[in-house]
Amino acid sequence: MSEIKKVVLAYSGGLDTSVILKWLQDVYQCEIVTFTADIGQGEELEPAREKAKKFGVKEIYIDDLREEFVRDFVFPMFRANTIYEGEYLLGTSIARPLIAKRLIEIARDTKADAISHGATGKGNDQVRFELGAYALNPDIKVIAPWREWDLLSREKLLAYAEQHGIPVEMKHKAGGSPYSMDANLLHISYEGRHLEDPAAEPEDDMWRWTVSPEKAPDQAEYLDVEYKYGDPVALNGKQLSAADLLAELNRIGGKHGIGRLDLVENRYVGMKARGCYETPGGTIMLKAHRAIESITLDREVAHLKDELMPRYASLIYNGYWWSPEREMLQTMINHSQVNVNGWVRVKLYKGNVTVVGRDSKTNSLFDPGIATFEDDQGAYNQADAAGFIKLNALRLRIAAKFKNKAK
Amino acid sequence: MSEIKKVVLAYSGGLDTSVILKWLQDVYQCEIVTFTADIGQGEELEPAREKAKKFGVKEIYIDDLREEFVRDFVFPMFRANTIYEGEYLLGTSIARPLIAKRLIEIARDTKADAISHGATGKGNDQVRFELGAYALNPDIKVIAPWREWDLLSREKLLAYAEQHGIPVEMKHKAGGSPYSMDANLLHISYEGRHLEDPAAEPEDDMWRWTVSPEKAPDQAEYLDVEYKYGDPVALNGKQLSAADLLAELNRIGGKHGIGRLDLVENRYVGMKARGCYETPGGTIMLKAHRAIESITLDREVAHLKDELMPRYASLIYNGYWWSPEREMLQTMINHSQVNVNGWVRVKLYKGNVTVVGRDSKTNSLFDPGIATFEDDQGAYNQADAAGFIKLNALRLRIAAKFKNKAK
Amino acid sequence: MSEIKKVVLAYSGGLDTSVILKWLQDVYQCEIVTFTADIGQGEELEPAREKAKKFGVKEIYIDDLREEFVRDFVFPMFRANTIYEGEYLLGTSIARPLIAKRLIEIARDTKADAISHGATGKGNDQVRFELGAYALNPDIKVIAPWREWDLLSREKLLAYAEQHGIPVEMKHKAGGSPYSMDANLLHISYEGRHLEDPAAEPEDDMWRWTVSPEKAPDQAEYLDVEYKYGDPVALNGKQLSAADLLAELNRIGGKHGIGRLDLVENRYVGMKARGCYETPGGTIMLKAHRAIESITLDREVAHLKDELMPRYASLIYNGYWWSPEREMLQTMINHSQVNVNGWVRVKLYKGNVTVVGRDSKTNSLFDPGIATFEDDQGAYNQADAAGFIKLNALRLRIAAKFKNKAK
Amino acid sequence: MSEIKKVVLAYSGGLDTSVILKWLQDVYQCEIVTFTADIGQGEELEPAREKAKKFGVKEIYIDDLREEFVRDFVFPMFRANTIYEGEYLLGTSIARPLIAKRLIEIARDTKADAISHGATGKGNDQVRFELGAYALNPDIKVIAPWREWDLLSREKLLAYAEQHGIPVEMKHKAGGSPYSMDANLLHISYEGRHLEDPAAEPEDDMWRWTVSPEKAPDQAEYLDVEYKYGDPVALNGKQLSAADLLAELNRIGGKHGIGRLDLVENRYVGMKARGCYETPGGTIMLKAHRAIESITLDREVAHLKDELMPRYASLIYNGYWWSPEREMLQTMINHSQVNVNGWVRVKLYKGNVTVVGRDSKTNSLFDPGIATFEDDQGAYNQADAAGFIKLNALRLRIAAKFKNKAK
């Protein structure tokens, strides 16, 4: 333990990472660098600076990573229509690789030999942080206090905090444990408390980003999303930066009660866990992206993407963003998006995102002259279908013939 | 042409297949057997009998296939959480193999040497009918009038009908072409007309099975779905037969505006086409089935199912239900459902199906003692995660080490 | 038929395509452009020019495509370790897209409106030629005489030739039909004749490129193959062009009896067919490429490649080289080869290719310090394996625990 | 440590497991049950009994598991044409789940609370033993001495042995470390020593089961293998039990120099390692099984098997035999083998296994009447191919058309 000289801590300024900060100073007797990122979680960051200073931290990094987060992580992931286990849009998973990257960069810049984070030993986030860190710096040391210390209950943690003069807000003291939450520009998640019983419905006051469909406006709203190379670039004709666009989608989606999810998922560490998620903008993006692909992607390209998507989703969920296999898949996914240009119209109403129109001036593969039920003037020769069916059936017919003979 | 002696026609009693009936009699000079099935399309079948008799048909089959359809085709498909191209629940596709099977059975019983159907040469249904037929009887002959005759416009068809004394309802005469529709217990579909422009929103009066979310009740409804071996067997505690259960789900789902879809899809014959679908019961089933699987299926089993699902969906979409590869996949899918027992609670509200609870007394793999954020009393050793991460990271670290050296 | 003005014919100068040339002139009354390619089939091309001239052809293309063939088709395919149905190295399949491309280019340059080829209606080659042609020029017309004419037996073909003054070599007159053969720098293939009985062993005098293992030298030969970006670039230290390298591998491999294959394969058109193949150089390349990948590729990258390979192989076998899905896969495969640099030593002896050494100065991921059975001085902490196993086992243990409870 | 009362040790009677036996007695102060299995490794088992007795062991299990091993593990695996990383026939991997199963059974029968094995902390075998054990008994304890003790060098191990009166054979004392070897009815493997340099050729005297191709007979030998439900059941017409058949294949294959492999493979624990293998019988079985499948399996069934095979192979390699996902895949694989009946003729000559004939009286799908180059009398209508190609090309043509327009 004595070997660590300086450690970069992913520091939110909250109770848990404040306790960690103090604990690292006490136990490892080493210098601490704090790193606090704005990835759209919607919290003030300056208090984190003040708190870190009070602990005597001299190197304090506070970064606005919102654009990078959406542009280089969220959007590339959505190019694949990524969903984990049929439901989850990977809001937490996709933020971790960026944090890991910055931790390693800051360790390099500050000549730190270790990093530390506040993820527990039961969850996926420890894996995501650490796989990323090791992939980017094979010699980095990692301190995961939750796997080392004995503060394994809420009570012990609070006791430690009070004992070491770490301010504890009232909300932490009252009632039982709070939900374990995580937020960024893509989503907010909830775990723990009542959710530990998967048979029970979440309490309505848990949700923070969206109104319930019941409380959403009675009037539907239409929204045009414009795509370029598979990424959304404009809303209702207005060009927006990546982060601004997602923030605006969150605002509109949240207003219409869109993007709530209640899920039991399989963690990489081997257990099932129940989580609730709000992903208003992402829910709109997934629908819209599939719609723009529906007219611009070749059928077999789309099908191949669909078959590989679950694996790509697992890679991100499991923390392998910085792996060569994820990069290899990304190369292919990105290649597929060159023609994914055009616009999609969605209707938003009380929790529903409905695609009602889509077009691409430059890349549509929809050929009305062929698909029509009216006279197509020879564009398609229906007689071709006979041969098509006959040869596709040949192996089935041969098998049936021999089967009959064998009887 | 002269070789055909007797042909079994899939006969709806509608205009198109009535024209076909007459055309077959005239052109092939052969005997006709009509086959009309109740697969839940919601139309009277007796008129088809009367019409067939008027054409002089002597062998008339009218079958109620609703239970068989849901039990042996719809439910097995839903065990795989099957969706085509991310959206389509395959309502039309899954009915065709059953029709093909009955056509072949009736051909055998009536000693007919051919079958005939009313699917066009541009669509998927011709493929589904014929691949099925050839797989079940390699020597069967198939007559697909739409690929042979010259009645390729609506006008010509109507002219032929009037010329041959086939009654044409007023709706066919007025206005332009109707939507091309297909209905069964799983869904109703719409193609053609205004839908041929994928940029344009469907007219609201097109939809038939569901109210719009706007017109759905302001009060949410909760529904408990009970599963046995991966199939739904009871609603709100009431055991129902397969067909009755799906009909009831359709009724409730339709009432709440659930299951509308507007899609551009890739047909097997090579073109993109726009279709709209209403699948109220199926939409509820998909959500509920994933939820019961989420607590009863092993992670890797679930993931493998997800990776193979798009291929399984394509097999059904493309008409390969009666192929050995579909049967092989089905064997595996069915095997995976042995433990899929329990109940799911969904909340239905204005187009939304939200899972709010799930449990399985006999087969839950959710272990609250391990997943908990509270003290787990040693059920899970957090220190194990360190080794888990270290070895999963090893190949990434070695690669990074050698990469650094190479620099 | 009268609409065709000029057609580009893939012309070998042999009997079949000479009959086609004449038949096209007679039946289509159109101008003919002949195209003869050297793709390493080992035949003189000038006789084709003379013959074409005798038929009055004015535009005669004779191209040496050997380098392009190996560099842009064979090598990219080998980057994926491509094998069809576990055995076949796709020697015929990979040459067709290049021929298709040149046919379309020549059609453009000569303002021809059609292309023609000598592939039969039962085989894969018609599909490969035509899918490629249509993908590169959607308006091209294709004339496939074997699907149109009535010269469907060997006798009729010979009769037509004699009747129209087309010289027939003695070998064609004597005995029964010859093997149907196809050769290029990658392989030579045999079909038909005795091979139509898959229970019967091929006659030894059928094989042309390799000696039998029995007649190969009694002395083994070692060969060093150097790889750059996944392609072989030098043999025994001597840099060679793509075509020269493959020719040299064929020479050495053929001498040692390497690369014979006797196979029943599944054609795209739906039937099983028996073929024999000699691929001496390709057989060596496959072994050597896997060996250089074994030390330079990440495990998960290699496994993903292996899982996608059969599909990639089918795409090439079925004629989809010029499809977007093949290009998408190729993008990923090429990306994976950036680090595939180094050398492999193989031992060649009487039909055997044995890898006996491999190394990469720049990109080896083999870490002897970790893999060693000797003391690794802490490079690998064996205790990590306990946690690794424990968490990988967690879902299995939970399942077993609940299963026991249920009993 | 003090909690273990009785441990079942996988005991070979060799030096390593004898040291482990003693070490367990000393460190854990617990009762030991030894388990020694005959899985065809070709060693006397009775000496293991004597040695165990000398250590005071009272419960000694010596089982002949050869038939079970081949019938329930090797053959099921070969039904999938299983190969890991393109080369390795999984000889070691497939034996581990059987050992794990017996360890757990014996633990149950002897009321032991733990098992122990001699696999190191760097390899795959620890994972295979322990995943199997945990899956079959979630409460079992596992002692892996190599991950616990400090006898991590050869010298320390020998010193411990001498110190505790464990007899050490001369071969262990002389020279450096021996190869690390593993043998069973399917294969023998070698790791370590000179093999730790992947650039160096193995020494010829390392190989034990096969002669070198150079020393194999100058006369080829033909062998007929008969298959039933995908498993070999007779050689040259003689019915044999599973174990006897594989033993006989090993004898014949070994005599002809068949089945040597020199490989760098990727271990599950994250490192690359070099191994050499002799799998004479397995090498013949793989070739023969593919050949019988080539005429009895449907194309799409075969292709689906090929695509899933690498994953199935990884499951076995990584130790997941007793997982639900392996069982699910096995269900599908077994289903595919119902029609895999018939015989295959292979020619064995100096390292080569060449298929020269195959047939199935009951299940051949090879239709000579259709595949023939001769007149097929209408069995196949070549004109069908035109429509087949046209519709398969449609999406490519539409894409090309729009691309041209866009220019």
Side-chain angles (χ1 to χ4, degrees), chain D residues 352-367:
Chain D
N352 298 279
V353 185
T354 312
V355 173
V356 299
R358 71 294 271 164
D359 203 3
S360 170
K361 274 183 198 149
T362 52
N363 297 89
S364 175
L365 297 170
F366 185 92
D367 188 336

Side-chain angles (χ1 to χ4, degrees), chain A residues 165-186:
Chain A
I166 300 167
V168 179
E169 292 175 62
M170 275 311 293
K171 69 176 181 188
H172 288 302
K173 293 181 186 166
S177 307
Y179 291 109
S180 171
M181 288 188 287
D182 177 66
N184 59 48
L185 254 174
L186 183 53

Side-chain angles (χ1 to χ4, degrees), chain B residues 189-203:
Chain B
S189 69
Y190 312 86
E191 293 182 306
R193 277 183 82 182
H194 308 322
L195 300 179
E196 295 194 358
D197 174 8
E201 185 171 0
E203 298 169 310

Side-chain angles (χ1 to χ4, degrees), chain D residues 16-74:
Chain D
D16 289 24
T17 50
S18 292
V19 168
I20 286 172
L21 206 171
K22 181 66 187 157
W23 181 88
L24 286 171
Q25 290 175 324
D26 288 358
V27 173
Y28 282 86
Q29 302 276 335
C30 65
E31 212 176 324
I32 309 287
V33 180
T34 60
F35 161 54
T36 309
D38 185 353
I39 48 171
Q41 66 268 50
E43 285 174 6
E44 289 292 320
L45 303 188
E46 283 309 310
R49 185 189 306 275
E50 292 314 305
K51 288 182 187 173
K53 278 185 186 168
K54 281 188 193 157
F55 284 107
V57 174
K58 286 168 198 151
E59 293 171 291
I60 297 174
Y61 284 75
I62 296 188
D63 296 349
D64 182 349
L65 303 177
R66 286 176 299 173
E67 287 296 342
E68 183 179 2
F69 173 51
V70 180
R71 184 189 65 226
D72 296 346
F73 296 81
V74 174

Side-chain angles (χ1 to χ4, degrees), chain D residues 109-399:
Chain D
D109 294 348
T110 61
K111 302 198 192 318
D113 46 354
I115 62 165
S116 182
H117 61 75
T120 80
K122 281 187 177 180
N124 299 300
D125 285 335
Q126 57 175 341
V127 190
R128 296 165 186 155
F129 282 133
E130 298 177 28
L131 288 182
Y134 288 133
L136 296 168
N137 179 350
D139 300 318
I140 198 72
K141 284 168 190 149
V142 177
I143 306 173
W146 284 98
R147 297 201 303 256
E148 295 189 16
W149 68 24
D150 57 355
L151 308 178
L152 288 174
S153 75
R154 205 72 206 155
E155 291 70 32
K156 289 181 187 168
L157 193 77
L158 291 172
Y160 185 95
E162 298 211 346
Q163 188 184 337
H164 292 79
I166 299 166
V168 179
E169 290 175 62
M170 275 312 292
K171 68 176 181 189
H172 288 303
K173 293 180 186 166
S177 306
Y179 292 109
S180 171
M181 288 187 288
D182 177 67
N184 58 49
L185 254 175
L186 183 53
H187 93 341
I188 181 167
S189 70
Y190 311 88
E191 293 182 305
R193 277 185 80 182
H194 308 322
L195 300 178
E196 296 194 355
D197 174 10
E201 185 171 2
E203 297 170 312
D204 199 60
D205 64 1
M206 175 190 76
W207 307 98
R208 299 194 168 198
W209 278 22
T210 61
V211 300
S212 69
E214 283 90 339
K215 293 182 185 154
D218 289 329
Q219 194 64 37
E221 181 170 354
Y222 285 81
L223 178 70
D224 284 8
V225 187
E226 195 181 322
Y227 276 89
K228 189 163 182 185
Y229 304 145
D231 293 337
V233 294
L235 298 180
N236 288 331
K238 187 178 172 191
Q239 303 281 326
L240 291 168
S241 76
D244 287 350
L245 188 143
L246 182 48
E248 177 63 5
L249 284 179
N250 282 335
R251 192 193 59 77
I252 306 177
K255 172 181 150 194
H256 287 286
I258 287 163
R260 292 185 176 186
L261 173 65
D262 175 350
L263 182 70
V264 174
E265 73 197 51
N266 290 291
R267 286 192 189 151
Y268 189 30
V269 292
M271 71 190 69
K272 290 182 182 291
R274 201 259 196 100
C276 287
Y277 303 98
E278 290 172 281
T279 321
T283 302
I284 298 171
M285 285 200 295
L286 177 65
K287 279 275 179 190
H289 187 259
R290 275 209 172 272
I292 187 64
E293 284 195 339
S294 77
I295 54 166
T296 57
L297 270 199
D298 171 79
R299 179 186 71 199
E300 296 302 312
V301 166
H303 289 193
L304 183 53
K305 282 186 69 207
D306 278 353
E307 292 185 48
L308 289 172
M309 184 276 286
R311 172 178 305 224
Y312 177 81
S314 286
L315 286 176
I316 295 176
Y317 185 85
N318 292 346
Y320 290 94
W321 181 267
W322 295 112
S323 72
E325 66 270 26
R326 202 279 311 171
E327 285 169 10
M328 180 168 73
L329 281 170
Q330 194 72 53
T331 302
M332 189 175 77
I333 292 160
N334 292 352
H335 176 84
S336 75
Q337 301 295 294
V338 174
N339 296 325
V340 181
N341 304 301
W343 61 263
V344 174
R345 182 164 298 150
V346 292
K347 181 182 170 188
L348 311 176
Y349 174 69
K350 285 188 179 290
N352 298 279
V353 185
T354 312
V355 173
V356 299
R358 71 294 271 164
D359 203 3
S360 170
K361 274 183 198 149
T362 52
N363 297 89
S364 175
L365 297 170
F366 185 92
D367 188 336
I370 282 187
T372 184
F373 279 85
E374 313 298 322
D375 191 338
D376 66 8
Q377 305 181 314
Y380 178 98
N381 179 4
Q382 301 211 16
D384 285 339
F388 178 75
I389 295 169
K390 270 293 182 72
L391 291 204
N392 279 316
L394 186 55
R395 65 186 170 94
L396 306 176
R397 288 177 67 212
I398 292 173

Side-chain angles (χ1 to χ4, degrees), chain C residues 145-344:
Chain C
W146 283 98
R147 297 200 305 254
E148 294 189 14
W149 69 22
D150 57 356
L151 307 178
L152 288 175
S153 74
R154 205 73 207 155
E155 291 69 32
K156 289 183 187 166
L157 194 79
L158 291 171
Y160 186 96
E162 298 211 345
Q163 186 184 338
H164 291 80
I166 299 167
V168 178
E169 291 174 61
M170 277 310 293
K171 68 176 181 189
H172 288 303
K173 293 180 185 165
S177 306
Y179 292 109
S180 171
M181 288 188 288
D182 176 67
N184 59 49
L185 254 174
L186 183 54
H187 93 342
I188 181 166
S189 69
Y190 311 87
E191 293 182 307
R193 277 185 81 181
H194 308 322
L195 300 179
E196 295 194 356
D197 175 9
E201 184 171 3
E203 298 170 312
D204 199 61
D205 65 1
M206 176 190 75
W207 307 98
R208 300 195 166 197
W209 280 22
T210 59
V211 300
S212 69
E214 283 90 339
K215 293 181 185 154
D218 289 329
Q219 192 66 35
E221 183 171 353
Y222 285 81
L223 177 70
D224 283 9
V225 187
E226 195 180 323
Y227 276 89
K228 191 164 181 184
Y229 303 146
D231 295 337
V233 293
L235 298 180
N236 287 333
K238 189 178 172 190
Q239 303 281 326
L240 291 169
S241 76
D244 288 350
L245 188 144
L246 182 49
E248 177 63 5
L249 283 180
N250 282 336
R251 192 193 60 76
I252 305 178
K255 173 182 149 194
H256 287 287
I258 288 164
R260 291 184 175 185
L261 175 66
D262 175 349
L263 183 70
V264 174
E265 74 197 50
N266 290 292
R267 286 192 190 151
Y268 189 30
V269 293
M271 71 189 68
K272 289 183 183 292
R274 201 258 194 102
C276 287
Y277 303 98
E278 290 171 280
T279 319
T283 301
I284 298 171
M285 284 201 295
L286 178 64
K287 278 275 180 189
H289 186 259
R290 275 209 172 271
I292 187 64
E293 284 196 338
S294 77
I295 53 166
T296 58
L297 270 199
D298 171 79
R299 179 185 72 201
E300 296 302 311
V301 166
H303 290 193
L304 183 53
K305 283 186 67 206
D306 278 353
E307 291 184 49
L308 290 171
M309 185 277 285
R311 173 178 304 222
Y312 177 82
S314 286
L315 286 176
I316 294 176
Y317 185 86
N318 292 347
Y320 289 93
W321 181 266
W322 296 112
S323 72
E325 66 271 26
R326 203 279 309 168
E327 285 170 10
M328 180 168 73
L329 281 170
Q330 194 72 53
T331 302
M332 190 174 76
I333 293 161
N334 291 352
H335 176 84
S336 75
Q337 301 294 295
V338 173
N339 296 324
V340 181
N341 305 299
W343 62 263
V344 174

Side-chain angles (χ1 to χ4, degrees), chain B residues 63-83:
Chain B
D63 296 349
D64 182 349
L65 303 177
R66 288 176 297 173
E67 287 295 339
E68 184 179 1
F69 173 52
V70 181
R71 184 189 64 227
D72 295 346
F73 295 82
V74 174
F75 280 3
M77 179 174 78
F78 272 80
R79 289 174 205 150
N81 302 316
T82 315
I83 321 177

